[in-house]
Amino acid sequence: MFLARPSRRIPICRGEYFFHSPVLTIVFMMYFAPLASAGHYKYSTLSWQEVVEAGAEPNTVRFTLLSSWSTDYAPYKSQGTGGVVTVNDVIRIQGLGNPVLEFGDGTSQLLKAKVISVNPVLQSWLGVSTVDHAYPSRSAFLAVFSGCCRGTYLTNNAGEYWNVTSAVNLNQQAISDWEGWAFSPRADFLPRVTVRANRNITISIPATTPGLASVLKLAGRPLRWALGAAADYGAAGAAPLEALPAVSAFIDAATGLLSVSA
């Protein structure tokens, strides 16, 4: 499994977004084992955009969390239609550590996700959570979504906590060139990719920004990609993919082409 994150950073399994120079940091999980196993968390991405709608409170940010979870996790099954997770169900996200979205200003919120797809083969479901939050000032904050546990079938960081972060910067000076409103970039990538062992693979990890005008303004400040460090995985003693024996990984900082040998 390959999972990603940006600096104007972009993620896939965890996200950390910095408003200044655009860099996409990639975080990996790898497995060569059965699909069904303990550990209800699969992957997630976190992005945000300032709300400029009429009537919105000042400094309001809309967070969007896309997250994937096990359909066999009992607390999720109990919230599903007839005991089965089904598209359009609304499920409260649960797990060890009582997962919440911490906004970085001393407040937090429980999350519910609307199920948008179910994959019976992978025994997983994908949900979307949308939360608006008004910050006390146009400053910098670090939003954090964390909890436990990752799948025990992973080759690295099995059964560990996840940690998804998004750096929110509402500083007016920092966004003066961005039409007066702020946002994070977003990785558009399938976080789970199945490949054969002992093969060299190359995967493109595309990234986008919200709105055509924003893309045009990025012309002189293109997004860039980078591999995540151990601290980006959100667990003590976490092992990046490239730290595993007989595994090498490289990402082209300018194109987002990821090369992996395992």
Side-chain angles (χ1 to χ4, degrees):
M1 183 192 303
F2 304 101
L3 300 153
R5 87 170 174 133
S7 168
R8 218 158 144 104
R9 298 189 177 207
I10 295 185
I12 279 197
C13 170
R14 50 175 265 82
E16 184 165 328
Y17 302 87
F18 295 88
F19 190 78
H20 27 284
S21 65
V23 175
L24 171 59
T25 304
I26 311 300
V27 175
F28 298 95
M29 298 180 197
M30 176 174 269
Y31 68 90
F32 301 101
L35 295 175
S37 182
H40 67 303
Y41 175 78
K42 304 299 183 182
Y43 58 82
S44 64
T45 67
L46 181 64
S47 60
W48 61 269
Q49 180 172 325
E50 185 175 3
V51 178
V52 293
E53 301 166 0
E57 292 186 58
N59 309 324
T60 295
V61 166
R62 178 164 298 151
F63 290 94
T64 300
L65 177 76
L66 284 173
S67 56
S68 180
W69 311 87
S70 170
T71 53
D72 285 341
Y73 186 53
Y76 293 160
K77 291 172 66 175
S78 66
Q79 298 178 68
T81 301
V84 177
V85 177
T86 306
V87 172
N88 292 325
D89 285 343
V90 177
I91 294 179
R92 181 193 156 195
I93 295 176
Q94 296 176 257
L96 295 180
N98 195 27
V100 297
L101 177 58
E102 299 179 30
F103 298 109
D105 60 357
T107 64
S108 62
Q109 183 170 324
L110 294 170
L111 295 179
K112 292 184 178 181
K114 182 177 181 179
V115 181
I116 59 176
S117 67
V118 177
N119 189 321
V121 175
L122 297 179
Q123 299 177 325
S124 65
W125 61 273
L126 180 67
V128 59
S129 309
T130 304
V131 177
D132 286 2
H133 179 71
Y135 281 98
S137 63
R138 298 196 70 81
S139 303
F141 305 90
L142 184 65
V144 179
F145 174 61
S146 62
C148 191
C149 300
R150 302 177 190 264
T152 56
Y153 48 78
L154 294 171
T155 304
N156 59 330
N157 310 310
E160 294 285 358
Y161 277 70
W162 72 82
N163 189 52
V164 181
T165 68
S166 186
V168 179
N169 191 344
L170 296 176
N171 184 282
Q172 188 61 51
Q173 182 177 0
I175 65 172
S176 60
D177 293 334
W178 297 81
E179 302 178 342
W181 53 277
F183 56 85
S184 70
R186 182 181 63 197
D188 294 321
F189 174 71
L190 182 65
R192 174 175 286 179
V193 178
T194 301
V195 298
R196 292 184 178 181
N198 304 314
R199 296 290 180 90
N200 298 330
I201 62 169
T202 300
I203 303 169
S204 177
I205 302 181
T208 61
T209 55
L212 177 60
S214 302
V215 173
L216 293 177
K217 293 219 173 197
L218 271 172
R221 297 160 61 185
L223 290 167
R224 296 185 65 81
W225 288 255
L227 295 179
D232 296 322
Y233 284 74
L241 179 62
E242 62 272 27
L244 296 177
V247 173
S248 64
F250 170 80
I251 191 162
D252 188 306
T255 65
L257 284 176
L258 170 66
S259 299
V260 179
S261 299

